């Protein structure tokens, strides 16, 4: 009966979406770039003001839906990853990490910087209303605050093997309800980056932390990008830590988005390469299913973890050997956002001699597991 009801809900949603498809005013393509920065990492959409925010690794771009640049924040020497917009306070939240690994060293070389840094993991919070011109310096402005995530640092720095749970830091981020519910308090959900490593078995889950940010003002600090200025003001631990069994992926969840219409959490990744997994590039968590406390496969140093269910009501592919479900979809890891009525902004990033850029294309969802999204006509 539950299977029939979820299929019926899906059918109604697809039908309702089809009515909107013919009359959407959303642009089919939003072009930005090229910029002398890293590649696009994620997007946030302020629907009320019709503004988009795009992370280009070391800079934040604010533009309108025609791609006109309204302002930018530059000068970051850390990795600014995925973004999300909080309608409750009107600010943009992004993952920001500083670390001495291949990614961190690559950013320092790109920015021609020799600043000495501590490893550190932060949520950067941008006041979008104050981004009114291009080239605002990250360290000189008063529109960015940061909150330190101690739990991420602990997992990155320690463990029975190097990098507990394969933690490479953080990337995917989104606001949405607490796992196991469809409404209520909005929680900030942050996904670990996870190193690719075929020799270990404790890196086959996506790890997601949930935080209640209502009282985060007491933690917010301006960040100075040097050892003596890298603060550690933040919550001691997350309000919840959760696990989604997908098989190992290359650097974990790149883009995380809660879809309020379908009640799922989309996870776009760089697909993994372990031969015993299907290595999908897109997954979705059933947000309404209560997480189950159970032993974690391949992890002997955690007795039990809160495991999230991958969704089953949307048409999907499923690997019979592992039970992992998902999709093969070539886009989304550099930008993915549900725009409403069955439409999605999905990034097509590009690289040219002039720098990095993005064509943000409009897609619509389908009922075809082999082709979950198609370009809007």
């Amino acid at each position: 009966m539950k299977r029939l009801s979820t299929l019926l809900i899906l059918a109604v949603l697809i039908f309702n979406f089809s009515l909107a498809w013919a009359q959407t005013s959303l642009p089919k393509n939003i072009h930005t770039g090229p910029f002398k920065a890293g590649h696009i990492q994620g997007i946030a959409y302020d629907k009320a003001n019709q503004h988009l925010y795009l992370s280009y690794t070391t800079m934040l771009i604010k533009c309108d839906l025609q791609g006109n640049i309204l302002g930018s924040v530059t000068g970051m020497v850390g990795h600014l990853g995925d973004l999300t917009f909080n309608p409750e306070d009107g600010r943009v939240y992004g993952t920001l990490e500083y670390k001495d690994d291949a990614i961190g060293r690559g950013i320092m070389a790109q920015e021609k910087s020799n600043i000495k840094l501590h490893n550190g993991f932060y949520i950067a919070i941008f006041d979008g209303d104050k981004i009114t011109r291009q080239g605002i310096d990250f360290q000189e402005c008063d529109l960015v605050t940061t909150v330190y995530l101690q739990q991420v640092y602990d997992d990155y720095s320690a463990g029975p093997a190097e990098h507990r749970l394969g933690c490479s830091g953080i990337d995917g981020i989104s606001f949405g309800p607490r796992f196991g519910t469809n409404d209520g308090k909005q929680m900030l959900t942050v996904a670990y980056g996870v190193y690719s490593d075929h020799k270990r078995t404790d890196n086959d889950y996506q790890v997601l932390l949930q935080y209640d940010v209502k009282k985060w003002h007491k933690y917010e600090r301006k960040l100075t990008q040097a050892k003596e200025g890298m603060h550690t003001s933040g919550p001691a631990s997350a309000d919840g830590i959760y696990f989604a069994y997908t098989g190992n992926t290359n650097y974990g969840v790149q883009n995380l988005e809660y879809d309020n219409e379908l009640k799922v959490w989309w996870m776009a990744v760089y697909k993994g390469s372990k031969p015993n997994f299907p290595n999908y590039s897109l997954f979705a968590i059933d947000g309404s299913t209560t997480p189950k406390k159970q032993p974690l496969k391949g992890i002997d140093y955690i007795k039990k973890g809160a495991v999230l269910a991958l969704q089953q009501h949307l048409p999907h592919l499923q690997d019979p050997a592992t039970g992992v479900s998902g999709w093969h979809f070539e886009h989304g890891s550099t930008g993915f956002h549900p725009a409403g009525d069955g439409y999605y902004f999905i990034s097509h990033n590009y690289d040219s001699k002039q720098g990095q850029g993005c064509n943000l294309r409009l897609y619509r969802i389908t009922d075809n597991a082999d082709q979950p999204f198609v370009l809007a006509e």
Side-chain angles (χ1 to χ4, degrees):
M1 183 61 71
K2 185 178 180 182
R3 174 73 173 169
L4 283 174
S5 64
T6 53
L7 288 174
L8 179 60
I9 290 169
L10 175 62
V12 171
L13 284 168
I14 294 294
F15 175 74
N16 289 337
F17 290 163
S18 68
L19 296 178
W21 291 340
Q23 53 191 348
T24 184
S25 60
L26 292 170
K28 304 298 192 299
N29 182 43
I30 303 169
H31 175 83
T32 58
F35 303 106
K36 289 296 184 182
H39 74 76
I40 182 171
Q41 300 285 340
I43 61 174
Y45 180 30
D46 175 0
K47 192 172 184 178
N49 292 306
Q50 296 289 279
H51 291 155
L52 282 165
Y53 297 87
L54 300 88
S55 163
Y56 276 93
T57 310
T58 54
M59 67 188 301
L60 179 81
I61 300 297
K62 176 184 176 181
C63 69
D64 61 22
L65 295 190
Q66 288 70 51
N68 299 308
I69 305 301
L70 304 176
S72 64
V73 180
T74 62
M76 283 168 271
V77 294
H79 179 285
L80 181 66
D82 192 16
L83 305 172
T84 188
F85 182 76
N86 184 4
E88 293 186 3
D89 66 14
R91 298 190 294 174
V92 178
Y93 291 60
T95 55
L96 180 61
E97 56 180 23
Y98 298 84
K99 55 188 182 178
D100 184 21
D101 67 356
I103 292 176
R105 290 189 292 272
I107 289 172
M108 296 294 281
Q110 172 195 294
E111 298 298 308
K112 298 181 174 58
S113 175
N114 58 4
I115 296 174
K116 301 300 181 184
L117 301 166
H118 285 298
N119 290 331
F121 304 92
Y122 298 87
I123 301 301
I125 306 170
F126 299 83
D127 185 341
D129 290 341
K130 294 182 178 179
I131 304 176
T132 56
R133 61 180 176 84
Q134 295 191 49
I136 299 171
D137 189 280
F138 172 77
Q139 294 201 121
E140 299 300 323
C141 68
D142 63 354
L143 62 86
V144 191
T145 56
T146 54
V147 174
Y148 183 77
L149 301 185
Q150 182 68 47
Q151 186 159 346
V152 181
Y153 176 83
D154 291 345
D155 281 343
Y156 177 83
S157 304
E162 187 179 20
H163 306 297
R164 179 179 161 93
L165 299 168
C167 177
S168 74
I170 46 176
D171 209 331
I173 186 171
S174 183
F175 278 98
R178 191 180 297 274
F179 288 123
T181 65
N182 286 332
D183 50 28
K185 180 181 289 187
Q186 293 292 290
M187 306 290 285
L188 181 67
T189 303
V190 182
Y192 276 12
V194 178
Y195 285 120
S196 176
D197 186 342
H198 289 209
K199 300 186 189 71
R200 57 195 296 174
T201 61
D202 64 342
N203 60 353
D204 291 331
Y205 287 86
Q206 304 304 330
V207 183
L208 299 106
L209 308 180
Q210 285 202 317
Y211 294 92
D212 179 359
V213 301
K214 287 289 188 183
K215 297 180 180 179
W216 267 23
H217 286 286
K218 64 183 178 182
Y219 299 127
E220 293 182 35
R221 302 285 188 277
K222 184 175 178 177
L223 180 67
T224 300
Q225 296 180 123
K227 276 189 175 183
E228 61 274 11
M230 297 185 72
H231 72 82
T232 57
S233 175
S237 61
D239 295 295
I241 179 168
Y242 303 90
F243 301 85
Y245 189 66
T246 63
N248 182 238
T249 55
N250 193 12
Y251 287 114
V253 178
Q254 298 295 302
N255 268 240
L256 177 70
E257 288 293 339
Y258 181 68
D259 191 324
N260 188 57
E261 291 174 334
L262 296 178
K263 310 304 180 188
V264 301
W265 294 81
W266 296 101
M267 300 186 296
V269 306
Y270 299 144
K271 68 178 184 179
S273 57
K274 283 189 177 181
N276 54 318
F277 286 100
N279 296 315
Y280 301 125
S281 56
L282 183 66
F283 303 92
I285 291 167
D286 184 345
S288 60
T289 299
T290 303
K292 291 184 178 179
K293 203 82 169 177
Q294 61 190 49
L296 300 175
K297 300 175 185 178
I299 303 176
D300 57 9
Y301 52 82
I302 296 177
K303 192 170 183 179
K304 287 185 178 181
V307 177
L308 301 165
L310 297 180
Q311 75 78 38
Q312 300 296 309
H313 58 275
L314 297 173
H316 59 275
L317 306 176
Q318 187 146 14
D319 177 49
T322 61
V324 172
S325 62
W327 299 266
H328 295 295
F329 185 64
E330 63 180 315
H331 302 292
S333 59
T334 60
F336 183 102
H337 184 81
D341 296 325
Y343 284 102
Y344 296 77
F345 288 127
I346 299 179
S347 165
H348 289 217
N349 60 300
Y350 68 87
D351 183 13
S352 70
K353 290 181 179 178
Q354 290 73 41
Q356 298 283 344
C358 168
N359 285 302
L360 201 59
R361 306 296 302 275
L362 187 67
Y363 281 79
R364 60 178 176 83
I365 197 167
T366 75
D367 58 0
N368 182 353
D370 292 314
Q371 192 177 23
F373 300 96
V374 295
L375 285 167
E377 298 175 354

